[in-house]
């Protein structure tokens, strides 16, 4: 870990400590992989104890931690060992502790509650999610690496096609190119409704099949145990091919969708596709720190209505009620661009906008890009030709 | 869904109802993807209410359910809608309800507890894990499909190699073949210590790098956010290449490891590899309903000691303290073959045995196979050449 990265880590830790102090609690105990990575730069099996004041302490069951001072690392066998380590250091046990109540299981939380002899505890998850939504300089650099490789992977997509190919073979070819470019493979999401593999390819009417998962569009999938994405459709004339594969080349995920086709599509496809691009440009003009994500969502709905495409917006049989979402170590971070969102844009937010249309008999069109709310306005991180590309 | 599959589903549901009744509680409410699939044959966004007596009820937020009677399906917006549906049917609300306390988050459980106005609740997770460890006829058929495709995928491994190839390119080639054969991609594990992508390739000394995850062996990985598996090593003379890719061709996972090499390995590699095979054969002879998994583990330890290979068994710097584990919808089910395991073998158990060795300067050797505890003894499901194969 280099110096720049280390300074940034300390900055992120400090940010969490300030928030803990402002929340009026003594400390926070972290155990989820996402937050462990955010606050230590690695995944290990253990816990991070973050007091409002003083040093962070790392309790490690398994794994190694290179980026933090050795004096702050303690080897433990079980979480019940933590309080006695704290007491051994002359620290008093916190009476109020934040635990990740939306990430840890019920029993994990109850075990920690008992270990610290707490009467109750508050939820660390929303606090961490909110802090993680404002990205630091180093984190933004990680997105840039992911987005550049993402574009490089998408430049191989035309080569992944051959006449008569199925969506599954097409996806397998793209996945291989992604892996050769350094895709980490694994893919994190918040909640249990994010089971998917490397992303999704939707060909023709498969795009209109609803899915129980929380993605913008669905797809039937190949098995009822993972009902989402490619379903064995053949790429053929007049069907759109929507490619929405993840940019997991660092821990920070870029999100980008592009559309391909075998020969020309009907005119409505190009018209709807252009509305998607126009919506993103309109949002980019309006987007500034303090802007309401719900209002930006409504802007997109108004533009779709104006274009008389409402019935195709974000699906047909099941219409997703959001057009964008924060990205980070998880694919579904804050802010959320939905009708009821109370999120306001902050400088340092990184999010994906994905106003998409599903056209019966044709399939899905529209692009998705990952944006940074920078000092000088909204910056698109996923730079790659946005037109519907004919194979 | 065909008749046989449907009959089997009803059988699994009945099994759970009997267990609920025996546990002396009124009902169980399921929300985890794994148990939803087990009890409905699909993944949906919602809940299954399982009373000790009477019909199962399916509460669906999103998704479709083909395998269950429509009269038992109810559309809901939120879990708080469930109690009023029950009351509307003239059912009394349960005073004691099992919830998946080791799978749902703290807040998910607390929300359900409040919705049902419960004073407390018991844990459904161990009950379901125990029941799921005894596989039904249809489930065993699913393993057979996965294992057969698994072997088919492994028959392409020699073709994935070329001189000077890295473990990453080698793995990308294998993953593509797996996907072409119908690998679902996604991969489920119990707990948060199972983040991995399609499986692991370990070349040479990378096999001795400890990992924070709960797999038998580790590997450094390519990024601190997923520190496990291939790390960019070149496949070269004198290094073993351990291939441990998952068999996810149905929802039921087969687990199989084979070893390859570039040219001949030192003699100790073949000797240790044979001990791994011998251990599995010895266990197969001893394994019968009622056998103690801890004793079978100790049998393996004794054989390793006899062979004077203890220092290399299940790792060097970090030695895993198990040699086998149940497989199913999750890769780490019951029973567990570890020193402290209280699990006794039951007919219908499906599990992987993976006594492995890590030899300094050479790498990992040993095989892993998935077995069914059948009526007539232990049956190996993963049939594929077990010798160390030279590319």
């Amino acid at each position: 870990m280099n110096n720049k990265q280390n300074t940034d880590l300390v900055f992120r830790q400090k940010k969490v400590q300030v928030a803990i102090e402002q929340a009026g609690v003594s400390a926070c105990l972290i155990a989820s992989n996402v937050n462990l990575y955010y606050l230590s730069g690695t995944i290990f099996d253990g816990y991070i104890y973050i007091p409002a004041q003083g040093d962070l302490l790392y309790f490690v069951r398994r794994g190694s931690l290179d980026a933090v001072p050795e004096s702050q690392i303690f080897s433990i066998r079980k979480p019940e060992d933590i309080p006695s380590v704290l007491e051994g250091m002359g620290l008093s046990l916190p009476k109020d502790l934040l635990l990740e109540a939306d990430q840890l299981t019920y029993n994990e939380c109850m075990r920690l509650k008992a270990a610290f002899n707490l009467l109750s505890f508050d939820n660390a998850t929303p606090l961490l999610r909110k802090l993680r939504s404002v990205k630091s300089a180093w984190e933004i650099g990680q997105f840039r690496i992911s987005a550049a490789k993402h574009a490089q992977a998408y430049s191989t997509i035309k080569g992944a096609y051959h006449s008569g190919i199925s969506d599954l073979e097409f996806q397998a070819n793209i996945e291989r190119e992604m892996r050769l470019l350094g895709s980490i493979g694994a893919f994190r999401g918040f909640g249990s409704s994010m089971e998917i593999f490397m992303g999704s390819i939707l060909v023709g009417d498969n795009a209109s099949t609803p899915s129980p998962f929380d993605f913008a569009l669905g797809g039937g999938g190949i098995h009822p145990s993972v009902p989402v994405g490619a379903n064995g459709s053949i790429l053929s004339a007049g069907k759109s091919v929507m490619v929405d594969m993840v940019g997991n080349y660092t821990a920070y995920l870029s999100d980008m969708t592009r559309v391909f086709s075998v020969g020309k599509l009907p005119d409505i496809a190009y018209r709807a596709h252009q509305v998607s691009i126009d919506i993103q440009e309109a949002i980019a003009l309006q987007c500034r720190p303090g802007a309401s994500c719900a209002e930006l969502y409504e802007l997109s709905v108004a533009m779709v209505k104006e274009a008389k495409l409402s019935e195709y917006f974000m699906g047909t049989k099941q219409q997703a009620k959001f057009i964008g979402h924060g990205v980070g170590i998880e694919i579904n971070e804050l802010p959320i661009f939905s009708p009821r969102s109370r999120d306001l844009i902050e400088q340092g937010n990184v999010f994906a906008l994905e106003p998409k249309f599903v056209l019966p008999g044709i399939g899905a069109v529209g692009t998705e890009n990952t944006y940074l709310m920078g000092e000088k306005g909204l910056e698109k991180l996923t730079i790659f030709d946005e037109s519907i590309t004919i194979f």
Side-chain angles (χ1 to χ4, degrees), chain A:
Chain A
M1 190 168 277
N2 61 35
N3 271 346
K4 197 172 156 189
Q5 193 175 342
N6 219 320
T7 309
D8 196 276
L9 182 60
V10 171
F11 167 79
R12 299 199 301 274
Q13 294 172 344
K14 199 67 217 164
K15 196 167 84 160
V16 175
Q17 287 190 295
V18 169
I20 291 169
E21 176 139 46
Q22 283 175 351
V25 291
S26 317
C28 176
L29 191 73
I30 291 300
S32 72
N33 285 347
V34 168
N35 289 330
L36 289 176
Y37 184 78
Y38 183 68
L39 289 166
S40 76
T42 193
I43 297 289
F44 62 98
D45 179 3
Y47 304 84
I48 306 179
Y49 181 78
I50 313 159
Q53 307 272 354
D55 288 340
L56 277 72
L57 304 175
Y58 305 83
F59 295 93
V60 181
R61 218 156 23 200
R62 252 189 323 185
S64 57
L65 271 163
D66 300 329
V68 304
E70 257 191 64
S71 61
Q72 291 164 232
I73 302 176
F74 301 87
S75 174
I76 58 164
R77 284 201 316 113
K78 51 187 198 303
E80 288 76 10
D81 297 340
I82 301 174
S84 53
V85 173
L86 296 178
E87 286 173 334
M89 297 176 75
L91 298 168
S92 56
L93 293 188
K95 292 278 167 263
D96 44 359
L97 184 66
L98 297 175
L99 299 175
E100 297 160 295
D102 286 321
Q103 289 155 291
L104 305 190
T105 67
Y106 178 82
N107 275 346
E108 285 169 331
C109 281
M110 291 305 279
R111 187 171 175 180
L112 292 171
K113 187 183 172 207
F116 280 90
N117 204 13
L118 297 170
L119 291 175
S120 66
F121 59 88
D122 278 326
N123 190 356
T125 302
L127 182 140
L128 265 297
R129 272 174 69 78
K130 178 75 181 154
L131 293 176
R132 286 194 353 245
S133 76
V134 176
K135 270 67 181 179
S136 66
W138 177 78
E139 290 181 290
I140 291 167
Q142 297 294 294
F143 281 109
R144 292 190 194 281
I145 296 169
S146 282
K149 294 232 185 181
H150 207 158
Q152 214 182 328
Y154 274 33
S155 73
T156 71
I157 289 175
K158 279 187 81 165
Y161 170 81
H162 66 69
S163 173
I165 198 170
S166 73
D167 52 5
L168 297 169
E169 184 185 348
F170 180 65
Q171 180 161 354
N173 291 344
I174 296 170
E175 285 169 1
R176 180 173 175 277
E177 295 292 342
M178 289 169 65
R179 293 285 275 162
L180 294 180
L181 284 166
S183 159
I184 296 167
F187 175 113
R188 294 190 174 97
F190 179 64
S192 60
S193 295
M194 285 280 145
E195 294 182 314
I196 202 173
F197 185 74
M198 295 282 271
S200 128
I201 305 287
L202 294 173
V203 174
D205 280 334
N206 185 37
S208 67
T209 304
S211 159
F213 295 109
D214 239 352
F215 301 98
L217 300 184
I222 52 171
H223 197 275
S225 72
V226 188
V228 66
N231 71 340
S233 297
I234 301 299
L235 278 63
S236 56
K239 310 287 179 201
S240 71
V241 179
M242 178 167 274
V243 178
D244 184 2
M245 303 298 287
V246 72
N248 53 356
Y249 302 89
T250 68
Y252 291 84
L253 308 168
S254 55
D255 212 352
M256 168 163 59
T257 301
R258 293 295 183 266
V259 176
F260 297 78
S261 69
V262 184
K264 232 177 154 306
L265 295 177
D267 286 346
I268 189 174
Y270 297 94
R271 191 164 74 77
H273 192 76
Q274 189 58 47
V275 172
S276 169
I277 294 168
D278 293 346
I279 287 172
Q280 292 174 62
E281 285 176 2
I283 290 177
L285 285 175
Q286 301 262 344
C287 203
R288 56 181 62 85
S292 150
C293 292
E295 284 174 21
L296 295 171
Y297 174 83
E298 295 305 340
L299 169 65
S300 76
V301 170
M303 289 179 71
V304 171
K305 199 173 171 190
E306 174 76 20
K308 299 192 171 23
L309 292 168
S310 299
E311 64 192 300
Y312 312 123
F313 192 45
M314 302 305 291
T316 50
K317 294 169 199 162
Q318 178 179 286
Q319 295 184 297
K321 289 283 179 274
F322 70 94
I323 56 123
H325 54 88
V327 289
I329 306 171
E330 293 180 317
I331 197 68
N332 52 344
E333 298 206 348
L334 299 176
I336 298 165
F337 295 75
S338 66
R340 291 184 183 187
S341 174
R342 293 181 188 170
D343 297 336
L344 304 179
I345 297 292
E346 290 187 71
Q347 193 179 308
N349 281 165
V350 175
F351 52 82
L353 295 177
E354 51 176 331
K356 292 172 179 173
F357 297 89
V358 177
L359 305 169
I362 300 171
V365 296
T367 72
E368 175 179 32
N369 287 294
T370 298
Y371 297 87
L372 162 66
M373 184 72 244
E375 245 175 286
K376 297 172 187 167
L378 202 62
E379 181 193 352
K380 190 185 288 184
L381 299 178
T382 42
I383 307 297
F384 190 78
D385 180 12
E386 306 213 11
S387 55
I388 298 178
T389 303
I390 296 179
F391 286 117

